[in-house]
Amino acid sequence: MVGQIIDGKAIATKKKRELSQTVDGLKKEGVTPGLAVILVGNDPASQTYVRNKQKACVEIGMHSELIQYDETITEEFLLNTIAELNEDKNIHGILVQLPLPNHINPNKVIKSIDPRKDVDGFHPYNVGKLVIGEESFVPCTPLGIIEMLEEIGFDLTGKHAVVIGRSTIVGKPMGQLLLNKNATVTYCHSKTKDLPSITRQADLLISAIGQPYEITADYVKEGAVVIDVGMNRNEHGKLCGDVLFDEVKQKASYITPVPGGVGPMTITMLLANTVKAAKL
Ligand code: NDP
C-alpha cells in the first residue's frame, strides 16, 4: 500500500477561506476579531512563529497586535499587561509565545489570561473542560489534527489511536480529544518499553516526540493513518518530522508530510479559536 498524503496546506487554505467569510460577517456586525500576541525576548524561532501568526491574521482580515518586550521585564510587568488585555474590548484572543525567560513562571502567566480569551487552550479551566467533555478552547495543534482526520473521513469510533508524546501542548490534549471521539487511546513516551510493539497496534499513529526520522516502517501497521507532528532539523539543517516519510508512506493508508502537514493547520486553528472567542 502507498499512503495518500494529507495536504495540511490545502486543508488550511480551505479553512482560512471559510474563516475569512466569518470574519467579514462579524465585521458587518461591528466586531473585528482581535488577537494580541506577546513576545518576550528575541528567540529567533519564536520571532518566526509570531510573524507567521500575525501574517495569517491579516490574511483573513483579523486585527492583530504584537506586543514585544525585552527579556529583562519582570513577571509582574507581564502580568499587568495581560490584565489590561483581559479588559480590552478589541482583543478577543491573547497568546503568550513560549518559552518565556527563566525568571518568569509560564504557568502563572497562563493562569492570568482570561479563560474566555485563552485561544491557545492552555489555561487549567479550559484543560479541565476538555477533560470533562465540555465545549472549550482546545490547543491548536491537536485541534488541527482532528480537522485533518475529519477531512479524510476517518471515523475514530472504536479505533486504536496511539499518541507518542505527553506534553501539555500536544500529546495530552491530543489523546483526550481522541478519547472524547470514542477512540481507544494509548499514550507512549520516553519511558515506554518496546515502543514499536505498541505503535504497530495503532489504526491511528500520532508522533509528537521531536526526534528526526525516529518512526520507521517497523513502528507502523499496514494501512494505519500516520500523523507527524514533529518539527525537527536533520543533520543537514533541513526541516523534517519524526517519521521516516518515504519508508512509512509505503505502509500507511494516509500520512502527513513535514513541512506542509500539521504545521499549517496549527496556525489556522489559532485563527479559528480567535474567531470563536470573538463570537462568544
Ligand atoms: P516535548 O519535548 O514537550 O514533548 C516530547 C514528548 O515526546 C515527551 O512526552 C517525551 O517523553 C516524548 N519522547 C521524546 N523522545 C521520545 C522517544 N524517543 N520515544 C518516545 N517518546 C519520546 O515536545 P512538544 O510536545 O512540545 O513537541 C513535540 C514535537 O512537535 C516537536 O518536534 C515540536 O517542534 C513539534 N511541534 C509541532 C507543532 C506543529 O504545529 N507542527 C506544534 C507543536 C509542536 P517524556 O515525557 O517521557 O520526556
Side-chain angles (χ1 to χ4, degrees), residues 162-165 205-210 215 226-230 242-243:
V162 175
V163 180
I164 329 175
L205 178 60
I206 299 181
S207 180
I209 61 177
I215 308 303
V226 179
I227 307 287
D228 189 354
V229 184
D242 295 342
V243 175

Side-chain angles (χ1 to χ4, degrees), residues 141 165-167 170 189-190 208-211 214 229-232 263 266:
T141 302
R166 54 173 166 179
S167 71
V170 188
H189 46 78
S190 70
I209 61 177
Q211 305 286 344
E214 182 99 355
V229 184
M231 285 216 300
N232 316 302
T266 297

